[in-house]
Amino acid sequence: MTTLLEISDLRATFGGLHALAGASFNVARGKTTGLIGPNGAGKTTLFNAVTGLLPQATGRIVFNGVDIAGKRPERISRAGLIRTFQLARGCPRMTVFEHLMLYGPRQAGEGFLAGLVSGAAVKAHEEELREKVWAMAHRLRLNGVLDNLVPALSGGQKKLLEIGRALLAEPEMILLDEPMAGVNPTLVGEIADQLEAVKAEGIAILLIEHEMALIKRLCEEVIVMAEGKYLTHGSFDQVTSDRRVQSSYLGRSRA
């Protein structure tokens, strides 16, 4: 089991608040890893730092053997590290189909000159991407809402769309920020099934989630953060029986 993401001494300060206070841990290639901890532990801030949305953060971030600390978000995503957001809004004036088309990688028509001189190649690539989008929509059971604007979707459908968007980018690793937040219970199982399918494809996942049943179901390993730092890691049973985790996160302690 090799390391895909290596985080070392990651720090971020907002005024006098140390949101990240030297967080350090590794995430394995091809595995699903849970990232848990109390509110304010620095989990989403860590996601922002890793994906280039917090350029003032300091520390070492190595993805797939390449130092990505300080890189722009688009360069990080092109390297194969994709994230979703807790509040999945999408592009409000685009349909579900258009939104998914937007995230196909290496689109030949993105450059003005390429679009002029390589019309046939651009058209062929776009048709190939359309087929992938149709297949993804069917996989996620979004084929019935492909013509809907993103704001018209339910919370669960928006989360499924986020997963589809991430998968169409052909990632090696996806950072999922609370994929069950705001989701109707009827779609919770559907999203969990989709994440298990992603896991089976060998795509690494780092998952922030407060729903412990989902963490237990999906994650081979669980990393715990508290007060902006790494606390411990292990299997679900190991971390949930740890007294430090019980005290700092689960709200209970054992004599």
Side-chain angles (χ1 to χ4, degrees):
M1 192 163 53
T2 60
T3 296
L4 180 59
L5 178 65
E6 179 184 350
I7 297 168
S8 180
D9 197 30
L10 198 56
R11 298 177 182 271
T13 302
F14 301 99
L17 174 65
H18 296 282
L20 293 172
S24 300
F25 57 82
N26 296 338
V27 182
R29 183 183 302 275
K31 302 296 181 180
T32 298
T33 303
L35 181 61
I36 68 172
N39 290 330
K43 303 182 298 295
T44 295
T45 302
L46 183 137
F47 271 24
N48 290 339
V50 168
T51 54
L53 297 178
L54 196 62
Q56 68 269 36
T58 62
R60 189 166 184 261
I61 308 168
V62 177
F63 176 69
N64 207 15
V66 177
D67 188 349
I68 61 171
K71 304 295 185 185
R72 292 180 59 84
E74 63 270 21
R75 291 189 62 184
I76 294 171
S77 63
R78 282 199 297 268
L81 180 57
I82 306 294
R83 72 164 295 176
T84 68
F85 293 86
Q86 181 179 349
L87 298 176
R89 295 189 178 93
C91 303
R93 296 186 180 182
M94 297 178 71
T95 66
V96 171
F97 182 78
E98 292 168 337
H99 191 274
L100 290 172
M101 286 288 291
L102 182 64
Y103 289 97
R106 302 177 298 278
Q107 298 197 39
E110 287 180 339
F112 177 73
L113 183 60
L116 285 178
V117 302
S118 306
V122 170
K123 185 176 181 180
H125 186 275
E126 184 171 306
E127 187 59 35
E128 180 183 353
L129 180 56
R130 284 176 175 270
E131 293 296 326
K132 290 181 179 179
V133 166
W134 277 104
M136 185 62 66
H138 279 272
R139 168 179 172 171
L140 300 174
R141 300 182 184 178
L142 293 174
N143 48 300
V145 294
L146 276 174
D147 293 328
N148 292 22
L149 294 176
V150 172
L153 300 181
S154 70
Q157 288 173 326
K158 288 178 182 177
K159 292 300 179 77
L160 288 168
L161 181 59
E162 282 273 278
I163 293 170
R165 182 267 300 175
L167 290 174
L168 282 167
E170 299 178 2
E172 289 198 52
M173 182 175 192
I174 304 175
L175 309 185
L176 295 173
D177 194 349
E178 295 196 41
M180 298 304 179
V183 175
N184 187 298
T186 59
L187 275 179
V188 167
E190 173 67 23
I191 294 174
D193 290 344
Q194 294 294 339
L195 295 183
E196 285 200 320
V198 174
K199 173 182 174 180
E201 293 171 13
I203 299 171
I205 295 174
L206 183 60
L207 169 69
I208 296 175
E209 182 55 59
H210 290 289
E211 177 51 62
M212 289 296 100
L214 183 67
I215 293 290
K216 183 175 183 179
R217 172 178 172 178
L218 293 177
C219 300
E220 292 99 326
E221 184 172 45
V222 181
I223 296 168
V224 186
M225 287 183 64
E227 299 179 344
K229 296 182 287 187
Y230 162 88
L231 180 62
T232 189
H233 78 281
S235 69
F236 178 84
D237 290 338
Q238 287 172 332
V239 299
T240 54
S241 63
D242 189 304
R243 290 188 178 187
R244 296 169 298 169
V245 177
Q246 293 173 354
S247 176
S248 67
Y249 180 43
L250 300 179
R252 64 179 187 271
S253 61
R254 297 193 298 185

